[in-house]
Amino acid sequence: MISNTALFKKIFEPVFEFVQRRERINIYIFGKLFLNISTKKITNFILKFRYLRHILKLRVLSKIRKINVAFYVSEVEKWGGDLLFQKLLQNKNFKPIIYVAKQKNAQNNVNFQNIIDYCKNKNLPYELLYDIKKDKHINIKKFKADIIFYEQPWSIPKNQSVIEASKHSLVCYFPYCFHSLITNFNYFDGFHGKMWKYFVETLYHKEEYEKNFNAKNCVALGSVKLDNYKIAKKTGNQNKKKVIYAPHHSFDEEGHRCATFLENGDFILELAKKYPEIEWIIRAHPEFKNKLLKYKTKEEI
């Protein structure tokens, strides 16, 4: 039996055809293009309207209550908002909180539990955006923060996406690392371009994104992670020079291969042995060990 959809297509496709492609909707009449709509432009218009509405609302609410500021965190290693969070805690106008999230398709709860432990150890207020018992991602609209800062753009469940959060919050982002690649991963439509404010590392980044991507939401603020040096506790021998080696995990990703550990990892180890007067610190990417197991044994690692 033919389905209703198939029947509709069979009857009307010669006359009317509706085609949805990536970021575009095309309508054909008698085989000729009648309408070519950019869904990106529609989305951006909706987001601008939402953010303007939130700003007007917060101007009123800020006079009668604290502004709720949430930090969406799915990997504690990438979060750099310690100092900002503490400043907000000390400010009478704001009420900050950590949203503890689990990444989409994550194989275990290790990162999720790490964030909980981090918040408990530092006595930071937090809410869980994942129900372990039900194995379910909780919709971000449940908590209705006024402002949300995302910690990274990767592996975000649909019901916790920027689009979903924008329905009730001003959405912001500061990079979890200092971007040095000329690539659209630094500014792409699915995340960075949909932010209310994207706080970039330098004026150079801002100018590049405006030039190459027609970015409208960038603010040159500096690397937020560097702020943490103001509150970092001094450890180890202060007379020793320190070298931080931070290898990436992308050994075989097409078009985005940043990892050089297979070529220079042994060389760095030999340098560390050769110069013991220097304090050597390995600060690998959270995914580094799992990816490296494809190339080296646990014993070698």
Side-chain angles (χ1 to χ4, degrees), residues 8-52:
F8 179 86
K9 280 190 171 185
K10 192 172 183 180
I11 296 173
F12 291 101
E13 201 166 77
V15 178
F16 175 88
E17 185 180 5
F18 178 90
V19 181
Q20 186 169 354
R21 297 187 173 92
R22 187 177 180 271
E23 296 188 346
R24 302 211 77 81
I25 293 174
N26 294 333
I27 296 176
Y28 295 85
I29 296 179
F30 293 108
K32 292 185 178 181
L33 182 63
F34 175 74
L35 200 59
N36 184 5
I37 306 171
S38 168
T39 55
K40 175 184 172 182
K41 288 183 178 180
I42 295 173
T43 302
N44 288 343
F45 175 80
I46 293 171
L47 287 171
K48 285 181 181 178
F49 174 78
R50 285 177 181 173
Y51 292 147
L52 177 60

Side-chain angles (χ1 to χ4, degrees), residues 68-70 97 99 140 143-148 165 168-170:
N68 297 309
V69 183
I97 193 167
Y99 280 177
I140 202 167
F143 305 101
K144 292 188 171 73
D146 298 311
I147 302 172
I148 297 178
H168 51 78
S169 309
L170 293 173

Side-chain angles (χ1 to χ4, degrees), residues 244-274:
I244 300 175
Y245 178 52
H248 201 255
H249 69 85
S250 56
F251 296 108
D252 49 17
E253 280 84 344
E254 287 187 26
H256 189 58
R257 187 180 183 278
C258 304
T260 59
F261 180 82
L262 296 178
E263 290 81 11
N264 63 26
D266 291 335
F267 171 69
I268 296 293
L269 180 60
E270 290 305 312
L271 279 181
K273 292 177 180 177
K274 186 177 179 180

Side-chain angles (χ1 to χ4, degrees), residues 149-199:
F149 282 87
Y150 280 82
E151 146 259 11
Q152 64 173 338
W154 318 115
S155 302
I156 301 171
K158 188 175 181 181
N159 64 356
Q160 297 171 6
S161 67
V162 175
I163 296 296
E164 192 66 35
S166 70
K167 294 177 182 178
H168 51 78
S169 309
L170 293 173
V171 187
C172 308
Y173 176 63
F174 51 78
Y176 64 87
C177 65
F178 194 96
H179 284 290
S180 56
L181 299 175
I182 302 175
T183 166
N184 66 343
F185 282 122
N186 293 23
Y187 191 97
F188 58 87
D189 301 325
F191 183 81
H192 302 75
K194 291 180 171 53
M195 291 288 153
W196 171 58
K197 295 295 180 185
Y198 176 20
F199 297 103

Side-chain angles (χ1 to χ4, degrees), residues 37 88 100-102 104 110 166 173 185 194 200-201 216 221 223 234 252 257 287:
I37 306 171
L88 292 174
V100 182
K102 181 181 177 181
K104 183 175 61 177
V110 174
S166 70
Y173 176 63
F185 282 122
K194 291 180 171 53
V200 299
E201 306 92 312
K216 305 291 186 184
L221 186 69
S223 177
K234 293 183 178 181
D252 49 17
R257 187 180 183 278
E287 291 294 319

Side-chain angles (χ1 to χ4, degrees), residues 1 15 61 157-158 218 227 273 296:
M1 181 179 289
V15 178
L61 291 177
K158 188 175 181 181
C218 294
D227 290 344
K273 292 177 180 177
K296 292 183 178 292

Side-chain angles (χ1 to χ4, degrees), residues 56-77:
L56 295 175
K57 179 184 71 176
L58 288 180
R59 284 178 178 171
V60 176
L61 291 177
S62 63
K63 299 181 185 301
I64 57 178
R65 67 162 174 82
K66 290 185 176 183
I67 301 301
N68 297 309
V69 183
F71 293 83
Y72 181 99
V73 183
S74 58
E75 284 184 297
V76 73
E77 296 90 344

